[in-house]
Structure formats: C-alpha cells, structure tokens
Amino acid sequence: MITQILTSRTDEPASAQLATLAERSASGALSTEAGIVYLAAGHVVHVESAHAPALGDLLTHSGALAPDGWWEAIDRAGRRCRVGRQLVDSGHLAAGALELCHLGALFDAAYFVLAHDGPALRFRPGVAHWLGAVRSVPVDTVLRESRRRRELLHRIWPEPAVDRAPLARIEDAGSADLPARRSRILAQVDGVRTAAQIATTLACRTFHTLVELRRLAAAGMVAPADPVAPAAGPADSVAPAAPSAPAASVVPGAPPAPGAPVMSPAPAAGSPVPVPVFPDEPETALLRRLLHALEAL
Amino acid sequence: MPGIDESLLEAMRLPGARGAAVVDWISGLALGAVGEAPGGDPEATAAETAELARLATESGVLAPADAGLGKEPPVQDLILTNTDSYHLLRFVTTTFDSTVFLHLWLDRTDGNLALARIRLAEMADRLVLG
C-alpha cells in the first residue's frame, strides 16, 4: 500500500483538520475516535460513526430497501465505489430517497464525530468510501450544522448525560398526549438501553432520537438509569473511552467494507415492544472500534 | 428519476415561485435550497419554517392522533399567506426515517396557490418514489 500518512496524531481538533483539508481540496478519509469523515475534492461525501446507524441499516431495517438489494449493490459496485449509483440505476431506490437518507446519515454521524471534537487520529489521502458520490456537502456546512445541533440539544435540556447513559422511565410521570414520534421512543426506554441503541432498534437517526429524549428528560419523564455510577457520569468523560461506550456504540450489521459483511442480528425495526439487548452487541461494537483503530494506524 | 436538486428546480418553474427548499423539521437543516429566501438567509428560513412544521406535527389539536407505525406525517400541508406572498410546506412521506418537507415561497400576484399545492404534492411523491 502506497498510502502516505499526511497527518500523524496531533492535538489539533478534527474540525480544524477538516477546515485545512477543505482549503487544500483534499480527498481521503479522516479518522477520529468517534468515526471517519470521507472527503472528495475538499467536500464531505460520507461520514460514519459507531454512535449513529449506518445508511444500510436505516434503509434495510426500515423496509425501504430489501437487504438482498443492498448486498447485491455492494457486491456489484462496492469495489468500484459506486454502490449509491448502483442502487438507483438498478431501480432499488429513487434518487431522491437515497439522497435524503444519505444526508440524514451523513449529518447524524458528523454530529457525533464532531460533538466532542477530539483530535483527528489519521488522514489517509485518496481513500474513498465504497458508497461513492451521492451528494457532497461543503466542510463549512457540516461544521456549522454540528455546532448548531449541539446548541439545539442544549437549549432543550442542558444535561448531556442523557446522550450516552442507559435510560430509564420515571415512574408516575404520565405519557398521555405525547406526539407519536416521542411516545414511540419513550416506549423503547427500558432502563438498559442507551439513545444510540434505541435509535438502532427503531431504525432512526441518533440525533433525532436524542432530540425527543432530551424533550422527555426536560418533561421529567426520562432520566439516566443510574446517575450515581461513574461510568454514566456527566459529560466530562471523553466519549468512546467511557466504560459504557461499547454498548452505546452498537450498530448491528453495518458493513465495514464491501465484501466483508458482518453477520447482523434480525432487524428489530417496526417492533412496538421493547426488545432485549442482542447478546452479541458488545462484540459488534468492539469489532467496529477495532476497525476504526486499525484504519487509523 | 429526480433527486433533491431536480425537484427544487421543478418547483421553481411554477408560476410566481421565488424560492424552494427541502428542510428537516427536527434539526432545522436545509438539505437543499434554490432561488431566493425571505430575508436573504436560507439557513435562518429553514430553521424557522422547521419550527413551525414541528409545532404543527406535534399538535394534539391540529394533527390527528397517529395510527400504526407513524411513517405517514400527521400533517400534509401547511399554507401561510401574507400581504405579498404565500408559503407552502408539503411534508414528504418516506418509508425510512426522514423528517423533511418541501418549502415553496410564492409571489402573491403571480402565484397560483391551488395549482402549486397539487404540483408540490406530486413532486414530494416523485422525490422518494421515483
């Protein structure tokens, strides 16, 4: 491999690195502890994070696309990095549907990559994502939007422990007259799962789940399950290193690379009843973190 | 098969169209925007129209209680008229998790609200169904 490592580990935050890479019109993959940002000609083309459901999961677990159609597209076009184009050309997905879902996943993952804005670990020039070009976004827009989302959550309920801790319902709090979306999310709060796991179960974006969960927290209906445990303590813990992170970062079935499918548990999307945590979830999370770490080497 | 940009450009061909955008009503993000924006700032316009859309979809009075899995937005359109223009918001139904609407800003003298509403609904369907 002739990949030249442009940047080794520095203390420069990922947002500053991204701005510099955008100025240089760089193409490649920038890894942080929370995920990977893919750039093409200085624009963000895709973002992946263990804290946000992957595009494939959002599409297949919701029933928008049959899993066979997804894997077929990866088989046929993964090596050429044209999976997105293949999905549309083969008639599996409308162009607009792919763009909407892709942008939803991109900004969702970007929020978590930039939420704590840790140092960028590595930039690998020339590395492209197998999805290929769907709709690229200027780096500026991604940075601005991630900042805006952080402020939006803070305005709703300024307690970030809700974002990562296992969540429990508060007894005696009524649940009548909640908007449909919020009550669907409340029904998944079981004292065990975190926001990211609830999002994965419902095939929803994690940020959009967080908005509802913070509103529920503000209404006194949901709270971190065990606020005294140090692992679930307030936001000063650096995200992925927290002991609770492996369970929080589960995205079952996300393909790490074309041709290397991870066995995924049965999709739970659409199930109105709370489902137990999949027994193999910690391993999946561990594997994804390992993958990110290896790619960052 | 239209993508976001093609759909917005199609909306701009309606008589009296001043500006059009695709907006996520939970985050307030414009996923695409063409033409003018009221006040000249498409991002501020998206954030403010998103707030209006969210209030409508979460209203126990204006939005009917949701049945089933709730993939269908509880509101179809929002129409706002003022002295010189119309604002038309059309919620997009998707099978996957997306919370977006099309926003069309129409000039009051040249625009035809009834026609625009029908066309915008068709565009919203074509955007996700092809």
Side-chain angles (χ1 to χ4, degrees):
Chain A
M1 190 181 271
I2 54 160
T3 304
Q4 173 203 2
I5 306 295
L6 252 192
T7 53
S8 55
R9 184 170 197 142
T10 65
D11 288 333
E12 200 180 18
S15 57
Q17 290 258 7
L18 280 174
T20 310
L21 291 166
E23 271 173 31
R24 289 191 217 153
S25 298
S27 299
L30 183 75
S31 306
T32 76
E33 286 188 339
I36 303 175
V37 180
Y38 292 87
L39 298 169
H43 279 55
V44 178
V45 285
H46 199 52
V47 186
E48 288 180 334
S49 168
H51 300 290
L55 176 66
D57 291 340
L58 289 173
L59 286 171
T60 56
H61 291 188
S62 62
L65 179 66
D68 287 354
W70 174 252
W71 290 113
E72 182 193 307
I74 287 181
D75 275 350
R76 291 188 175 200
R79 290 199 177 281
R80 290 179 288 129
C81 294
R82 288 167 67 90
V83 171
R85 174 67 65 85
Q86 174 74 22
L87 283 170
V88 174
D89 287 350
S90 63
H92 282 300
L93 212 53
L98 177 65
E99 288 180 3
L100 290 179
C101 200
H102 168 251
L103 287 175
L106 185 157
F107 282 102
D108 197 29
Y111 169 75
F112 291 98
V113 169
L114 297 166
H116 293 267
D117 208 6
L121 298 178
R122 290 285 186 278
F123 179 68
R124 291 167 294 148
V127 171
H129 194 276
W130 44 262
L131 183 65
V134 176
R135 197 179 161 89
S136 62
V137 186
V139 166
D140 261 4
T141 308
V142 173
L143 296 178
R144 205 163 51 238
E145 177 63 11
S146 297
R147 202 160 50 235
R148 210 175 59 78
R149 290 185 175 205
R150 211 152 51 229
E151 291 162 5
L152 177 65
L153 287 181
H154 187 80
R155 277 201 306 276
I156 297 171
W157 180 246
E159 179 48 77
V162 175
D163 298 2
R164 295 181 187 278
L167 297 169
R169 293 175 75 146
I170 294 174
E171 314 235 339
D172 304 334
S175 62
D177 298 334
L178 283 179
R181 199 179 168 86
R182 205 167 304 156
S183 73
R184 228 170 24 248
I185 287 168
L186 180 63
Q188 300 289 331
V189 174
D190 59 0
V192 177
R193 281 180 295 177
T194 62
Q197 289 169 316
I198 291 170
T200 300
T201 303
L202 293 172
C204 280
R205 289 153 295 170
T206 306
F207 174 81
H208 290 60
T209 309
L210 283 182
V211 167
E212 305 298 349
L213 285 168
R214 289 232 193 172
R215 286 191 204 283
L216 288 165
M221 301 171 81
V222 161
D226 188 6
V228 290
D236 52 1
S237 58
V238 177
S244 63
S249 57
V250 169
V251 184
V262 174
M263 290 305 290
S264 59
S271 165
V273 291
V275 294
V277 176
F278 299 111
D280 60 343
E281 271 188 332
E283 284 172 35
T284 316
L286 184 66
L287 287 172
R288 283 180 65 88
R289 290 180 65 196
L290 264 174
L291 179 75
H292 283 167
L294 287 171
E295 287 188 339
L297 282 177
Chain B
M1 238 189 237
I4 292 173
D5 288 336
E6 291 81 1
S7 294
L8 292 177
L9 291 173
E10 191 184 344
M12 287 301 286
R13 284 200 292 272
L14 284 165
R18 289 181 179 175
V22 176
V23 179
D24 180 306
W25 81 75
I26 289 189
S27 68
L29 170 70
L31 300 175
V34 295
E36 297 172 74
D41 183 348
E43 290 188 8
T45 301
E48 288 185 30
T49 50
E51 191 63 9
L52 181 66
R54 188 182 66 77
L55 284 175
T57 56
E58 294 186 354
S59 159
V61 177
L62 299 175
D66 196 85
L69 287 172
K71 300 231 161 161
E72 192 96 10
V75 176
Q76 286 189 329
D77 306 286
L78 282 176
I79 297 169
L80 190 143
T81 68
N82 58 40
T83 49
D84 79 332
S85 64
Y86 301 121
H87 290 276
L88 180 52
L89 274 55
R90 175 74 192 191
F91 290 83
V92 180
T93 303
T94 54
T95 44
F96 53 89
D97 175 43
S98 94
T99 43
V100 294
F101 59 85
L102 290 172
H103 172 205
L104 178 64
W105 186 32
L106 275 181
D107 186 271
R108 183 148 185 159
T109 40
D110 300 331
N112 178 333
L113 191 53
L115 173 78
R117 184 182 163 271
I118 292 168
R119 290 278 181 272
L120 205 61
E122 292 168 355
M123 286 172 213
D125 286 345
R126 266 204 310 280
L127 176 63
V128 290
L129 299 175

